[in-house]
Amino acid sequence: MSMKLDGAATELVGSDIEWPEFDPAGFTKNASPETLGWYRAAELKHGRVAMLAALGQIVQYYVQIGDPVFNKGDKPFQALTQVLSERPLAAAQIILAIFAVEALGQFNQVKEGAAPGDLGFDPLGLKPSDPETWEKVQLRELKNGRLAMFAIAGQLFTEYTTGNGVLEAW
């Protein structure tokens, strides 16, 4: 088993930091550039969702809707089960919204010439025009997304095992 990256993966932003050339499962061994792009898009998507989720785990303690079904800010798992049991149509709406966002993202991702993870959504015009600065921004997003994936996993594991929310356990 080789830990080494192969092919075009060695040129991806973020492949030369922390654990350079880390590929113990060999995903890059025979991967085409399209497959590598799909892997990178998936990593970015999961990182972005994890960053929002980790932030949401903390914000929900302080910002809550007045509805009692959606007012379990300190325990997201309990809130989810309560929504599923008391408002199944609300749960269906949430699933449909997730599906719609996922479909829109996939539709934008398969556009010709689109970079992996570039959904063409920059309403504030934050994307830098300088390629060197853009590469630094991409690296920051990757590193923060990777960290957030571990963070949300830890937050959910803590709630699942202790029964306490994130801030209660802290």
Side-chain angles (χ1 to χ4, degrees):
M1 175 168 77
S2 171
M3 300 288 269
K4 204 163 177 64
L5 291 173
D6 286 329
T10 58
E11 302 299 319
L12 289 173
V13 173
S15 64
D16 60 344
I17 55 170
E18 280 86 28
W19 293 299
E21 300 189 1
F22 181 74
D23 185 20
F27 288 121
T28 63
K29 187 176 259 328
N30 296 316
S32 68
E34 292 81 21
T35 302
L36 286 175
W38 187 84
Y39 289 159
R40 176 49 54 95
E43 180 181 20
L44 286 168
K45 182 189 309 182
H46 286 91
R48 290 167 181 163
V49 168
M51 286 187 275
L52 288 172
L55 178 64
Q57 281 280 75
I58 296 167
V59 169
Q60 65 188 352
Y61 277 87
Y62 304 107
V63 179
Q64 298 174 1
I65 301 172
D67 190 334
V69 175
F70 293 100
N71 207 8
K72 290 264 188 208
D74 56 341
K75 295 181 179 63
F77 279 136
Q78 288 182 8
L80 178 62
T81 57
Q82 186 176 1
V83 168
L84 289 172
S85 64
E86 294 181 23
R87 305 258 176 91
L89 289 178
Q93 286 176 329
I94 293 168
I95 291 169
L96 284 173
I98 291 170
F99 174 77
V101 169
E102 191 71 27
L104 181 64
Q106 189 61 30
F107 175 74
N108 286 335
Q109 184 60 52
V110 297
K111 288 182 179 174
E112 191 66 33
D118 183 8
L119 302 177
F121 182 75
D122 187 18
L124 300 177
L126 298 175
K127 182 177 179 179
S129 57
D130 177 41
E132 188 176 317
T133 306
W134 175 236
E135 189 171 311
K136 289 178 182 178
V137 169
Q138 286 178 308
L139 182 60
R140 283 187 209 121
E141 182 182 22
L142 275 171
K143 290 176 82 171
N144 287 320
R146 290 170 180 169
L147 177 63
M149 286 187 262
F150 281 108
I152 190 63
Q155 290 171 339
L156 293 174
F157 181 76
T158 299
E159 184 191 345
Y160 179 75
T161 56
T162 66
N164 293 325
V166 176
L167 296 182
E168 291 173 328
W170 194 36

